[in-house]
Structures are given as structure tokens and as C-alpha cells.
């Protein structure tokens, strides 16, 4: 379960329907071209929180079919509706996903005891492993080291997707829990996570440059940190331009330019601005994406 995991992008048509063949093409690109170690399915990058339960199940099923055991799969089942989270967790577990993951419950100001019960309920109902998804910037939930300690007491909680810029907390977690999986969640800060000893990384931009992310990990493991920084600089040049043009829209358009049917985003997100197509084509050419 270590290595680089793409947070899987999901192609939609103009009506918000999943483009099955396009999804299979995106998956194949991740496996065959980017050579990632796994996929994180139905996370933020998959526009998960705008989907119906049936759509989420459809994505889980297609991804499992297309990967066919070639790489590891993590199913993000988190939802503010605990019943849905359990239903999705059972479904992904029956399909054979290697682990579940769940974003901390958001919007309402849940107590830590309520968050703990949320994870324990999903684990008990599914019997599967769980990777906590900590992303305080979007959920408003910042957990302390002591609270992580409580969650990690459950042997089924095997790790955390850590999307936070608090590297002091990251270092403390790594030192205290050498046997738990820690995934870096900020693509633009990958090298800092790698130097801190994370086990892997999960990110949306790995759909287009997962091969570069793998290089960073390998170089850090070999003690070639200076070279790894150079690769991070290249990755961040790409990321900076993608953010300027619009994150998910641009990632999909890059794949579209490459002949992969990545479709469009789901409303209420705005579709890609066709006037920016030339800039995307230049980005693909300049960085050999």
C-alpha cells in the first residue's frame, strides 16, 4: 500500500453523466503511462461530493474492473450521511478494494467523539481497513496528536491521508506511528513529505505527472534530495499553470489534448474555457506531458 496514488479524475458529459469509456482511458493512462502504484477512488478529485450514491458505485465498479488487480485501490466512502458511507463501504469491500478511506465528517461542528463513532461505525459494518482523510482546509476539522492517537488505537485504522501544511504535526505522527501508513496529500509539497518519511502520496495532478512524483520518491530514498528538488520544481511549474487555468478543468483538458477522453467537470463547476485551449496545448508540449 506504499507509493504514488492518483486521486482519480472522473470524466463527465455535458449532462453530468459518467463517461464509462473515458473513465477506463483515464485509468489506463494512470497504469500504463504514469505507472502509479494505486488509485484513490471517489475523492475530491473525482468530484465525489456532487455525485449520487449510484454514480459513486458505478465508478467503484468500473475502476475495479479496469485495474483488474494491477494496482492497489483505496475507496473513499466518506459522506456527511453515515448511512451512505456504510453502504458505499460495504459495496467497495465486496468488490475487493484494498482499503477504505473516509473524509472527516464536515459542515456541522461535530465533536471528536462523533467523528470517532463515524469511523468506528464504517469499520464495524464493513470489516475493512480504514485510512483517515484529514483535510482541514476543506472540512474545518483539525485533529490533535492525541486525537489521532485515539483513532490509531483501532488496528483497522491503518493510516492517514494527510492533506495539511502542518509539517510539525506530520513529523510527530511519523515518529510516534512508524507502523501506520502516512500519505502526503499536497502535490506541490511532495518532497517535504518524502523527506519526512511518508509512505506515499495521493494527489490529483498525478493523473498527468505521476511519473515525476515517483521520481521524487525514488530520489529521496536514494539520498539524492537535491535532484529530487529539481523534479519538484518542474512539477510545481506545471501545477502553478494548472491552478492558474483552473484545477480540475485543466487536468481534464490536458488529458483531452493527449487523446484521452477526460470529458468535462460536473456542475455547478464551470466547464473548461475553450479560449484557454492554446495555453493547455503549450503546457503539454513544453513539459512533454
Amino acid at each position: 500500500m506504499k507509493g504514488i496514488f492518483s486521486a482519480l479524475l472522473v470524466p463527465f458529459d455535458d449532462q453530468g453523466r459518467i463517461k464509462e469509456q473515458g473513465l477506463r482511458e483515464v485509468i489506463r493512462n494512470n497504469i500504463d503511462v504514469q505507472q502509479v502504484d494505486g488509485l484513490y477512488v471517489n475523492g475530491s478529485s473525482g468530484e465525489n461530493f456532487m455525485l449520487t450514491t449510484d454514480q459513486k458505485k458505478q465508478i467503484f465498479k468500473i475502476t475495479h474492473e479496469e485495474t483488474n488487480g494491477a494496482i492497489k485501490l483505496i475507496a473513499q466512502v466518506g459522506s456527511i450521511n453515515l448511512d451512505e458511507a456504510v453502504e458505499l463501504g460495504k459495496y467497495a469491500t465486496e468488490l475487493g478494494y484494498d482499503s477504505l478511506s473516509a473524509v472527516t465528517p464536515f459542515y456541522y461542528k461535530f465533536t471528536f467523539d462523533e467523528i470517532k463513532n463515524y469511523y468506528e461505525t464504517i469499520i464495524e459494518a464493513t470489516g475493512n481497513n480504514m485510512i483517515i482523510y484529514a483535510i482541514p482546509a476543506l472540512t474545518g476539522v483539525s485533529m490533535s496528536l492525541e486525537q489521532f492517537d485515539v483513532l490509531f488505537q483501532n488496528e483497522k485504522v491503518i493510516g492517514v491521508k494527510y492533506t495539511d501544511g502542518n509539517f510539525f504535526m506530520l513529523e510527530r505522527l511519523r515518529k510516534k506511528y512508524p507502523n501506520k501508513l502516512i500519505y502526503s496529500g499536497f502535490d506541490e509539497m511532495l518532497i517535504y513529505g518524502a523527506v519526512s518519511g511518508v509512505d506515499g502520496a495521493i494527489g490529483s495532478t498525478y493523473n498527468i505527472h505521476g511519473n515525476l512524483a515517483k521520481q521524487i520518491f525514488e530520489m529521496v530514498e536514494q539520498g539524492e534530495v537535491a535532484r529530487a528538488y529539481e523534479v519538484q520544481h518542474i512539477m510545481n511549474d506545471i501545477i502553478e499553470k494548472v491552478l492558474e487555468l483552473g484545477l480540475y478543468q485543466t487536468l481534464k483538458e490536458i488529458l483531452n489534448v493527449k487523446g484521452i477522453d477526460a470529458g468535462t467537470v460536473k456542475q455547478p463547476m464551470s466547464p473548461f474555457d475553450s479560449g484557454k485551449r492554446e495555453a493547455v496545448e503549450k503546457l503539454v508540449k513544453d513539459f512533454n506531458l
Side-chain angles (χ1 to χ4, degrees), residues 135-204:
I135 183 166
L138 295 184
T139 62
V141 179
S142 294
M143 288 189 290
S144 66
L145 189 64
E146 292 73 22
Q147 289 172 332
F148 273 114
D149 187 56
V150 172
L151 295 177
F152 282 166
Q153 295 310 306
N154 188 324
E155 63 179 14
K156 288 288 189 178
V157 178
I158 61 173
V160 58
K161 180 187 177 188
Y162 187 82
T163 309
D164 194 342
N166 184 345
F167 285 93
F168 175 62
M169 173 70 81
L170 176 60
E171 181 273 336
R172 294 288 83 187
L173 285 170
R174 179 73 294 166
K175 181 177 185 293
K176 190 169 185 180
Y177 304 105
N179 296 321
K180 295 291 186 180
L181 293 168
I182 300 178
Y183 298 97
S184 173
F186 276 132
D187 307 13
E188 64 273 29
M189 300 182 190
L190 174 58
I191 189 165
Y192 305 114
V195 170
S196 298
V198 297
D199 299 290
I202 299 169
S204 57

Side-chain angles (χ1 to χ4, degrees), residues 19-47:
K19 303 185 77 172
E20 178 175 343
Q21 182 55 37
L23 178 56
R24 292 182 184 275
E25 291 176 17
V26 173
I27 293 167
R28 294 266 35 114
N29 175 69
N30 271 294
I31 296 172
D32 302 333
V33 179
Q34 305 307 327
Q35 298 187 325
V36 296
D37 302 292
L39 294 174
Y40 188 84
V41 186
N42 277 337
S44 309
S45 302
E47 301 164 59

